[in-house]
Amino acid sequence: MNILVCITHVPDTTSRIQFTDNNTKFDKSGVQFIIGPYDDYALARAVELRDQSGGKLTVLNVGEAETEPTLRKALAIGADEAVRINADPVDSLFVARQIAHHAKEGAYDLILMGRESIDFNGGMVHGMVGELLGMPSISPVMKLDIEGDKAVLSREIEGGKEFLEVNLPFIAGCQEPIAEWKIPNMRGIMSARTKPLNVIEPKEAEKAAEVKAYALPPAKGEVKLIEKENVEELVRLLNTEAKVL
Amino acid sequence: MAPEDFNYSQRKDHFEGVDFYELDELLTEEQKMVRLAVRDFVKKEISPYIEKWAQETHFPQEIVKKMGQLGVFGSYLPTEYGGGGLDYTSYGLMMQEIERGDSGMRSTASVQSSLVMYPIYAFGTEVQRKKYLPKLSSGEWLGCFGLTEPDHGSNPAGMQSRFKDMGDHFLLNGSKMWISNSPKADLALVWAKDENDRIHGLLLERGMEGFSTPETHNKWSLRASCTGELVFDNVKVPKENLLPGKSGLGAPLMCLDSARYGIAWGAIGAAMDCYHTALTYSKQRVQFGKPIAAFQLTQKKLSEMLTEITKAQVLAWRLGQLMDKGKASTTQISMAKRNNVAMALEVARECRQILGGMGITGDFSIMRHMMNLESVLTYEGTHDIHLLILGQHITGIPSFS
């Protein structure tokens, strides 16, 4: 089994989000970066599948040199080799094109990634990669097993679950509880030192979209707590202050 | 109050570390990955349960195997014996993160790594290394270290445990006290005198006739780790269980250097946890119409704590560099252990004041850390003894002999 896992390099969920350059750039100073949490689930399941069936697990990120510690962490968790496509991931189509170019050469049986990143939350890349490669793309996958040349999986749909069977190769956007995310152990961290991390230049490098500006959501208003016995006061405030009644 | 009635904290662990002087720039990516892995482990396996374990004086024995899987035991020993092949700074960061969770958990890890695995590696035969180190590294076995005796704490040279050469075996008699891990240990590394008054290390396995490990009860400190005695009543120890590589008091003291180094880092973890808790609390707790963080006396406390934590971090980082170069002296380690543990205890006390009555309860980690640190201040060389070790180094005159 030859598996590709695409990971994002995103700010930790507790980071303070600020912008620079007239609100056109994200301010990375003092921000801790992590593997995208949904990608982390995909990686954890890929490690399990590789351990069950043997083969090779490659982890890929489209990003500049600063993302290499994140790729090394993925190697410490259990990937066999890493690929960094040396480019600023400007938009979803750009990223999908880079993944598709690499995947065409890699002959992967399975391409996994998170259902969405947690920085821009586009949730589009898996679908685009499927389209570019002419393969099925399924998301959000919550359970995934491989039986011969087929995958048996379940995904979340509106109001329920869908159980599917699909021929390999295909692309999955993953979410919990597909696997429990893994903490790298010390042996993994040591071995990550010597595993290959290949840097590839991007192809079809033109942007499909451009960010004009970012804006933060309005600051949270103050919370007023009203005792449950005091419904009249609540109604009065909703009327006079919040003006929603 | 019955334990089941106790409202154990369900608060989520949002700890992020304290780095005022941007010391992270001095760490390698690998060291940062080690720290994050152990921090994540603590958040998953220790923080959600530790208040309950401590209240109920429960040693979670399953944590030993989990720590083994993570690779914290013998991380600086070569990989061929199950070690991690990592540097001493990484080991220090591991101890910092585990003690951020609990000093008792860190004690379990320190003893296994520095006081059992290290001497078997450094002073043991190849057969002993191959037999014991992989089992200790994986956490399949738990080890303990017997040096301190009921009448010989700061003065281990006066120990009364002795063994006689009986031809085909050694016969060991005596006892040890205040031994971390002893009640659950599969292996005990015991220091005892031979017929020529020379101190040697002996490896005792659980189940040897005449060897028992009674537990010490009613501790107010390190309540989630187990402590006990080692009692030797005519124990027949096979001759191949003697560590041949080094004898004399210098051998156990070398192990203590490694353990004390880990404590110098560990104490920073406990201090950072208290500081993080008190800072968060002081911004939320409102008195006289404003958060207590707005008051000058709270700001004084927080400022002094951050200063002392930062100084301790610099000390530990530099000591790690010296350890990795093989240049750290016993006195340098004494200074760091002494300073950092006293700093952490002072931080815990100040933080407890910021939390007021809430700081007294088991809903917060502070008083648990404070009580733990009272042990840490005393064990592995007391606060005062480390001062005298430094005094001897400065003046050339030993004050305790």
Side-chain angles (χ1 to χ4, degrees):
Chain A
M1 174 89 68
N2 197 4
I3 308 174
L4 178 68
V5 175
C6 306
I7 62 168
T8 52
H9 166 86
V10 294
D12 201 350
T13 48
T14 52
S15 305
R16 269 189 69 197
I17 305 298
Q18 296 179 110
F19 302 110
T20 57
D21 291 7
N22 211 12
N23 288 334
T24 57
K25 282 208 174 106
F26 172 56
D27 181 3
K28 294 177 182 172
S29 57
V31 171
Q32 169 81 36
F33 282 84
I34 58 170
I35 300 176
Y38 294 116
D39 309 324
D40 223 349
Y41 287 116
L43 176 64
R45 186 61 189 142
V47 169
E48 291 169 1
L49 291 171
R50 190 273 324 271
D51 288 349
Q52 279 166 23
S53 63
K56 194 168 83 173
L57 169 52
T58 306
V59 64
L60 176 150
N61 168 259
V62 180
E64 291 170 332
E66 64 189 14
T67 74
E68 288 194 4
T70 301
L71 280 167
R72 285 272 171 224
K73 187 180 175 190
L75 291 170
I77 287 170
D80 299 300
E81 63 172 49
V83 174
R84 180 171 69 81
I85 297 175
N86 187 26
D88 186 15
V90 281
D91 60 65
S92 301
L93 184 58
F94 174 81
V95 171
R97 279 182 181 145
Q98 305 312 319
I99 294 170
H101 275 296
H102 175 77
K104 273 179 200 159
E105 293 160 17
Y108 293 104
D109 301 300
L110 194 56
I111 300 174
L112 303 183
M113 60 190 82
R115 59 174 287 177
E116 64 188 70
S117 64
I118 62 151
D119 46 7
F120 293 91
N121 301 75
M124 294 181 277
V125 172
H126 38 75
M128 289 175 172
V129 173
E131 187 64 27
L132 291 166
L133 293 176
M135 288 181 196
S137 176
I138 301 165
S139 180
V141 177
M142 297 159 72
K143 189 171 184 305
L144 170 63
D145 288 299
I146 305 296
E147 292 175 6
D149 57 356
K150 280 187 167 48
V152 180
L153 49 92
S154 74
R155 71 178 197 110
E156 199 171 57
I157 55 171
E158 192 66 37
K161 272 187 190 171
E162 185 176 51
F163 299 89
L164 297 160
E165 211 176 77
V166 59
N167 286 330
L168 301 180
F170 79 106
I171 294 134
C174 304
Q175 73 170 35
E176 74 278 19
I178 192 163
E180 197 174 340
W181 58 271
K182 295 189 187 323
I183 297 170
N185 64 26
M186 300 307 134
R187 190 167 295 235
I189 292 172
M190 274 294 291
S191 65
R193 258 186 213 173
T194 50
K195 287 179 180 175
L197 194 165
N198 304 313
V199 180
I200 299 174
E201 289 308 314
K203 292 175 182 161
E204 281 191 86
E206 71 276 16
K207 296 175 189 175
E210 193 181 351
V211 174
K212 291 289 181 196
Y214 295 108
L216 290 171
K220 256 193 202 169
E222 255 186 61
V223 173
K224 266 189 191 163
L225 291 174
I226 294 148
E227 298 292 325
K228 64 181 173 191
E229 292 79 22
N230 205 352
V231 178
E232 282 170 22
E233 174 67 2
L234 175 65
V235 172
R236 191 187 68 77
L237 287 171
L238 288 172
N239 246 325
T240 56
E241 279 194 17
K243 298 188 172 122
V244 292
L245 293 183
Chain B
M1 190 188 302
E4 59 271 21
D5 298 330
F6 196 84
N7 177 25
Y8 295 113
S9 174
Q10 294 298 309
R11 203 168 290 108
K12 192 150 168 49
D13 182 354
H14 289 300
F15 180 76
E16 282 178 35
V18 177
D19 184 19
F20 185 64
Y21 258 40
E22 299 182 19
L23 294 170
D24 271 13
E25 285 181 13
L26 301 173
L27 301 177
T28 64
E29 285 303 329
E30 191 174 275
Q31 287 163 348
K32 284 189 259 189
M33 208 192 298
V34 165
R35 181 181 61 187
L36 184 63
V38 181
R39 187 173 293 169
D40 285 344
F41 174 86
V42 168
K43 287 183 179 180
K44 185 173 175 222
E45 302 288 353
I46 295 179
S47 304
Y49 316 108
I50 186 63
E51 305 303 343
K52 186 172 160 66
W53 293 338
Q55 290 284 348
E56 296 175 0
T57 58
H58 169 69
F59 172 60
Q61 208 170 348
E62 65 283 0
I63 204 90
V64 179
K65 273 202 179 125
K66 289 178 182 174
M67 284 184 183
Q69 282 161 3
L70 181 63
V72 300
F73 298 140
S75 61
Y76 51 81
L77 298 181
T79 49
E80 58 185 301
Y81 302 109
L86 291 163
D87 57 21
Y88 268 97
T89 303
S90 296
Y91 174 65
L93 289 165
M94 285 177 208
M95 295 302 109
Q96 170 188 293
E97 292 304 316
I98 297 175
E99 189 146 2
R100 211 273 305 169
D102 186 70
S103 304
M105 297 290 100
R106 200 269 306 136
S107 301
T108 298
S110 283
V111 168
Q112 183 94 334
S113 289
S114 291
L115 299 183
V116 185
M117 294 181 71
Y118 169 75
I120 293 174
Y121 171 71
F123 316 136
T125 63
E126 195 56 25
V127 174
Q128 289 167 340
R129 289 174 171 184
K130 289 263 159 65
K131 182 175 178 188
Y132 296 113
L133 291 178
K135 280 183 181 161
L136 292 162
S137 136
S138 67
E140 184 187 341
W141 275 28
L142 182 65
C144 68
F145 175 91
L147 178 66
T148 299
E149 298 191 351
D151 294 326
H152 301 278
S154 294
N155 177 25
M159 69 170 64
Q160 290 168 314
S161 293
R162 290 188 170 274
F163 64 95
K164 279 186 187 164
D165 190 338
M166 308 299 282
D168 62 342
H169 65 271
F170 298 122
L171 195 67
L172 174 68
N173 276 289
S175 66
K176 301 286 175 181
M177 205 176 184
W178 310 121
I179 310 302
S180 292
N181 296 356
S182 101
K184 303 286 182 191
D186 303 283
L187 183 71
L189 200 178
V190 173
W191 299 93
K193 284 178 179 166
D194 66 10
E195 287 142 298
N196 301 317
D197 272 355
R198 185 81 185 160
I199 294 172
H200 292 269
L202 295 169
L203 293 163
L204 268 67
E205 292 184 23
R206 179 169 293 283
M208 284 182 171
E209 203 177 329
F211 172 40
S212 58
T213 61
E215 185 164 358
T216 302
H217 294 288
N218 301 329
K219 290 182 295 174
W220 282 125
S221 180
L222 304 179
R223 286 165 65 89
S225 84
C226 59
T227 311
E229 298 168 47
L230 301 172
V231 180
F232 323 114
D233 179 10
N234 287 315
V235 184
K236 287 181 181 172
V237 183
K239 284 198 154 174
E240 64 266 25
N241 285 26
L242 181 132
L243 293 180
K246 192 168 170 70
S247 63
L249 190 60
L253 293 185
M254 268 175 75
C255 311
L256 291 173
D257 274 353
S258 168
R260 289 164 180 171
Y261 165 74
I263 294 170
W265 280 91
I268 300 171
M272 289 196 300
D273 194 56
C274 293
Y275 171 78
H276 173 80
T277 305
L279 174 60
T280 309
Y281 185 88
S282 68
K283 288 198 252 182
Q284 291 167 355
R285 170 75 173 165
V286 174
Q287 288 290 283
F288 303 103
K290 55 186 177 181
I292 60 171
F295 290 98
Q296 287 187 357
L297 287 177
T298 308
Q299 291 187 3
K300 173 181 186 286
K301 287 186 177 72
L302 291 168
S303 304
E304 285 176 351
M305 282 187 245
L306 182 60
T307 307
E308 291 308 314
I309 289 171
T310 303
K311 283 154 70 180
Q313 285 173 326
V314 176
L315 207 59
W317 176 80
R318 176 60 188 153
L319 190 61
Q321 296 281 302
L322 293 171
M323 288 291 282
D324 281 327
K325 289 178 187 158
K327 282 170 61 183
S329 69
T330 297
T331 13
Q332 286 168 331
I333 296 169
S334 281
M335 182 189 274
K337 188 268 181 185
R338 181 178 184 279
N339 180 78
N340 290 9
V341 175
M343 174 282 294
L345 186 55
E346 195 53 39
V347 165
R349 287 173 180 157
E350 290 289 301
C351 287
R352 212 289 301 152
Q353 285 198 62
I354 291 178
L355 267 74
M358 289 309 290
I360 302 288
T361 72
D363 270 6
F364 290 89
S365 60
I366 291 175
M367 195 133 169
R368 174 172 52 79
H369 282 305
M370 188 203 295
M371 294 195 297
N372 283 342
L373 288 162
E374 291 289 348
S375 289
V376 184
L377 192 75
T378 294
Y379 74 22
E380 309 255 5
T382 68
H383 189 63
D384 288 346
I385 283 289
H386 285 299
L387 203 64
L388 299 182
I389 291 172
L390 272 170
Q392 177 182 3
H393 172 77
I394 296 163
T395 63
I397 310 165
S399 64
F400 39 74
S401 62

